[in-house]
Amino acid sequence: FAADADTGADTPALARLVHHAYHAGDAAAVLRLAPQAAREAESRGARREAAAHCRAALAFGDRMDDATHAALLEDYARHCFELNDLSAAIPAREAAIALYAKIGDVARQCDSLSAHAMSLVRALRNADADAASREAIAIAEQLPPGPELARAYETEAYLRMLNRDCQEAVAWGRRAIAIAEKFEDNITLAA
């Protein structure tokens, strides 16, 4: 299968190329085109399609370096979370966390743990969500203060709010806001 399409291909043509490359077993073409197709699908709000493209590339995960593999697992988990497919999101996020730990990318590991807590609480696994959040905080507090710490605190604030621990939620939220403001982390501030 010769998938040497230019990167300016229109979305349906790109999606078709990924489909044909996958079924032809052309790992190189899938690994080159599927992430791009997933980003394009996401930009159109087509989460199911984006997840499918990530899944196609993940079928060849053994051919990726650990950092690329972890990032793709994270993208897949994010799409699955938005689709409320927690049975796919949770193990994908766990695999990404393990890969980030393996390669020593503690900042990404921390962010992934915070996101993982959100999937776990949505799956009604509150104790596991609390454990993931506490682990994210423990890791983030060992790093120089930055956006990861703000996001870890924000996640803990959200979990405390869900548990109706109002004073704790406010305290964690204030900590998150203080750090997010310092680093102009508008995404955390908006949460």
Side-chain angles (χ1 to χ4, degrees):
F1 178 78
D4 290 317
D6 71 57
T7 56
D10 65 334
T11 300
L14 183 58
R16 259 193 314 277
L17 285 172
V18 172
H19 173 81
H20 291 297
Y22 177 80
H23 288 288
D26 187 343
V30 172
L31 292 172
R32 187 175 69 252
L33 299 172
Q36 179 184 347
R39 285 188 299 277
E40 287 184 4
E42 180 181 16
S43 73
R44 292 183 282 107
R47 290 280 187 180
R48 203 167 303 284
E49 182 183 339
H53 290 308
C54 289
R55 202 169 32 253
L58 287 168
F60 301 103
D62 60 333
R63 298 175 189 212
M64 295 178 215
D65 63 75
D66 288 340
T68 302
H69 193 185
L72 188 60
L73 282 162
E74 237 184 335
D75 286 346
Y76 179 61
R78 186 171 38 82
H79 297 309
C80 291
F81 176 82
E82 293 299 327
L83 293 166
N84 208 34
D85 182 359
L86 302 177
S87 65
I90 290 170
R93 185 76 68 182
E94 288 169 346
I97 291 165
L99 284 171
Y100 287 135
K102 177 182 173 187
I103 62 175
D105 189 340
V106 291
R108 301 279 310 263
Q109 180 187 8
C110 177
D111 275 344
S112 201
L113 278 161
S114 292
H116 187 49
M118 301 307 286
S119 294
L120 291 167
V121 78
R122 187 181 282 183
L124 305 178
R125 294 173 50 187
N126 292 20
D128 293 333
D130 288 344
S133 178
R134 283 191 302 272
E135 187 176 354
I137 290 169
I139 291 169
E141 286 180 339
Q142 294 175 13
L143 299 171
E148 298 83 11
L149 184 58
R151 287 188 288 273
Y153 287 169
E154 179 253 326
T155 298
E156 185 65 16
Y158 182 75
L159 294 177
R160 298 290 52 85
M161 182 270 305
L162 289 178
N163 288 334
R164 294 189 171 58
D165 298 335
C166 297
Q167 289 181 342
E168 290 240 1
V170 169
W172 284 107
R174 285 185 176 145
R175 291 170 84 177
I177 290 167
I179 294 169
E181 285 177 339
K182 182 177 178 181
F183 291 94
E184 298 178 3
D185 180 359
N186 293 327
I187 293 172
T188 300
L189 286 170

